[in-house]
Amino acid sequence: MAGIKRASDGQASAAKRSKQDVLSRDLLEAMEKDELISHILSLQSQILTTSHQAPPSPPATPGLSLEEVHHKASKARDMMAKGIKSQMKWKPSCKTGGARFSYSGVVASSQVFLKLFRIGADWKKKQLQFDPADFQHTTGTDISTSIRYGRLNVTGKNVTVRWVPNELTFTVTGSYGL
């Protein structure tokens, strides 16, 4: 350490370095105690100022190809139909068409959700309502299940789809009966 020559005193050399400089191990070992303390304090202040700023946004998910969107929408459609059908059990309220179902699902991207319910890309709302026949036509699936002496079908005035875009989740609610 004694053999290292300095161009100027420690205060002046610390002032010449910018806050963004990366110091090598040799330079840090060659610094005097006061110079190291001032460098550490400046680094701590930088950390404090950056920690009070908003956290960086998560990296954008890469866009899915049209084939991937179609495949994921088809898979989500099948899972949704299977999930709704599994809830369709006989209850006394089925006679009046008042038995309720609720299905929650997660999709890979908003493109998949738009494809799943055949919505245009300019759609920005958070809720959809379908007539039961339109719902089955739009999703392209027959959502009904067989019971002992009949079939349970989606009934009621409408089927509601709620969309939470920041979580990429949706919930489908409606009623079913004879």
Side-chain angles (χ1 to χ4, degrees), residues 1-6 25-32 36:
M1 286 244 225
I4 297 176
K5 295 183 181 178
R6 295 180 185 257
R25 183 179 180 96
D26 292 337
L27 282 173
L28 289 171
E29 288 176 353
M31 287 180 158
E32 294 177 7
L36 277 172

Side-chain angles (χ1 to χ4, degrees), residues 85-96:
K85 285 179 185 181
S86 70
Q87 295 179 35
M88 296 173 94
K89 306 288 183 209
W90 173 255
K91 301 175 186 176
S93 59
C94 288
K95 290 180 183 178
T96 60

Side-chain angles (χ1 to χ4, degrees), residues 5-17 30-32 34-35 38:
K5 295 183 181 178
R6 295 180 185 257
S8 62
D9 68 342
Q11 298 291 338
S13 64
K16 288 180 184 177
R17 287 190 297 271
M31 287 180 158
E32 294 177 7
D34 294 336
E35 197 174 359
S38 67

